[in-house]
Amino acid sequence: MLHLKDVSLWYKIPLRVAALVIVTASVLASVLVYRSINDLRDNLTANATQVGRLVADTLVEPIMHDDVWRAFEVVNLPFRSMPNQASDQSAEYILVLDTNNKVYVSNKPDRFPMMSAPAISEPSIATYLKTPAQPWPDELAVVDAPASNALFLLTPIKADGVRIGTLVMNYSKTPFAIRLRSLARDAIVITLLVLAALLPLGVYWGNRMAAPLLDLSNAMSKIGPHLPDPAEIRLEESKDEIGLLAKSFKAMLGELKEKEQLQQQVITSDRLAALGRLAAGVAHEINNPLGGMLNAISTFKRHGEQDPITLKTLSILERGLLQIKETVAALLVEARAQTRPFDLNDVADICTLVQPDTEKKQIDFTREIDLVEAQPISSTLVRQVIINLLLNAFHATQPHGHVHLHIYRDSEYLFVDVINDGSHIPQDKVSYLFEPFTSLSEGGSGLGLWVIYQIVQQLGGLITVQSEPDKTQFTVQLPLEGSHE
């Protein structure tokens, strides 16, 4: 069973706003109806009190002189003098009771004959017609008879402070019920109009309030074994609580992403270092017998029989062994002695050396060299790094593609960017890109990037890769000699 707490905030907040609007409108409508009914009752009571006191004071003399006809004219006077009075403000009938609770006079003698008990015609008033007439109030009172659809205004008729009778004015509750239904109908209509106006605004603002929380929830749900890129997280930052929470979350995600990258770099560096030690050990073990075999072939070619078939076979063996030697040499990248500084002449030499490769595939090779003078770093090693990066870029680029070389520096480092629009490198393969014999294309030995990585490590630098469709960028950062002294 679905509970409200399990409903998404996208629906929960607008529903709560709608419920709040409905409750508020209902309460306001109820209060207005209640106050309107009370105002109507107060107006009726005030009007009846004024009329009752006037009639009661006028009836003193006729009752004292036992002038029934004049008393009858007095009780009929309100109906004759105010014929156009609103029905909800006029009495249905008026009774004058004597001290024995008998009808003395009434404006409706057919219903209430003289000297009769009014309880016979009006049972709801029976409670107040006990003998002796003690229940009657000494002062004017309004009595609501629960068992009757009527209100009674009871006004004592006094002469010299002695009660000589009681004026009973009956008012129907029907106008109240009609007014109540009318007010309730108007209140319902007004409530519906208010809801029609406020609910869309409530839903809109509710969704606006829920949207940042939902964005934050969706962003948090993306955190798993692999952290998302902080640039992919779109959260609204503001100075309220939700905005500050979003800002803190993005900062935390950035720190976690940086930590993950550092951990990955450490793992990659450890793995490459282990592979380097293994490769160096294997290469040294291969070099010993390899050198002996090459010396033996060289000695045989100088002093052995000059048989053409034998010489051809030996040449094939020698080329194969030399290829093995070159491969092994690639695995044994070692720091070399310092050479002259790297300058613009080296850049020109590099462009000349790679020109045949650009012409072969008709590649648009552009250069951006932000250097003026020689740089205090080994030109031999930097040349090898740049040549290998360019050859790797040319190999990955399709015919008529584009390769861009950018060389620049700051106060401490020399930077080399090589950008191509060739094949995209999947993210899961970037971690293994600089391992030996790892090639992403057919025909590659997988040693070019390995050599680059080894040289960059020896120079105390850093190499990074960023790859996306139609753009792959290798960036090498090399410390300049003397910059950290």
Side-chain angles (χ1 to χ4, degrees), residues 418-425 466-473:
V418 177
I419 306 171
N420 69 82
D421 58 1
S423 302
H424 168 59
I425 303 175
Q466 295 179 347
S467 183
E468 57 188 38
D470 299 327
K471 181 181 179 181
T472 298
Q473 176 174 336

Side-chain angles (χ1 to χ4, degrees), residues 84-133:
N84 298 324
Q85 188 178 22
S87 59
D88 57 355
Q89 297 289 321
S90 61
E92 286 194 352
Y93 60 83
I94 297 177
L95 297 176
V96 178
L97 305 181
D98 59 18
T99 56
N100 295 318
N101 292 334
K102 301 295 182 179
V103 177
Y104 181 77
V105 71
S106 169
N107 70 318
K108 293 185 177 182
D110 294 338
R111 182 176 177 183
F112 300 98
M114 291 181 61
M115 302 309 294
S116 65
I120 298 174
S121 300
E122 186 62 73
S124 60
I125 205 173
T127 306
Y128 307 99
L129 299 180
K130 297 178 181 179
T131 303

Side-chain angles (χ1 to χ4, degrees), residues 384-403:
Q384 187 171 357
V385 168
I386 297 175
I387 290 174
N388 280 346
L389 284 176
L390 289 174
L391 293 178
N392 185 72
F394 295 149
H395 192 74
T397 304
Q398 299 296 325
H400 305 285
H402 177 72
V403 175

Side-chain angles (χ1 to χ4, degrees), residues 57 147 161 169 201 229 263 272 302 312 321 396 406 443:
D57 292 341
M169 302 177 68
L201 292 176
D229 192 337
Q263 289 177 340
L272 292 174
R302 288 198 305 269
K312 183 177 180 181
L321 293 174
H406 185 198

Side-chain angles (χ1 to χ4, degrees), residues 342-369:
F342 180 79
D343 57 21
L344 294 178
N345 292 325
D346 294 299
V347 177
D349 292 343
I350 291 171
C351 295
T352 302
L353 290 173
V354 300
Q355 184 176 355
D357 296 272
T358 60
E359 294 176 351
K360 181 179 180 181
K361 301 179 71 172
Q362 298 183 355
I363 293 174
D364 179 21
F365 177 40
T366 59
R367 297 165 291 278
E368 183 180 356
I369 314 301

Side-chain angles (χ1 to χ4, degrees), residues 155-219:
T155 306
I157 303 173
K158 295 181 179 181
D160 297 329
V162 179
R163 186 166 61 84
I164 60 176
T166 303
L167 176 68
V168 180
M169 302 177 68
N170 174 280
Y171 291 86
S172 175
K173 293 181 182 178
T174 302
F176 290 91
I178 296 174
R179 185 69 176 271
L180 177 61
R181 287 194 294 269
S182 176
L183 290 174
R185 182 174 61 252
D186 294 342
I188 291 174
V189 172
I190 293 174
T191 300
L192 292 177
L193 293 176
V194 171
L195 288 177
L198 294 184
L199 274 180
L201 292 176
V203 171
Y204 171 75
W205 286 111
N207 289 335
R208 284 289 302 271
M209 292 173 60
L213 290 174
L214 292 174
D215 292 341
L216 182 60
S217 176
N218 292 333

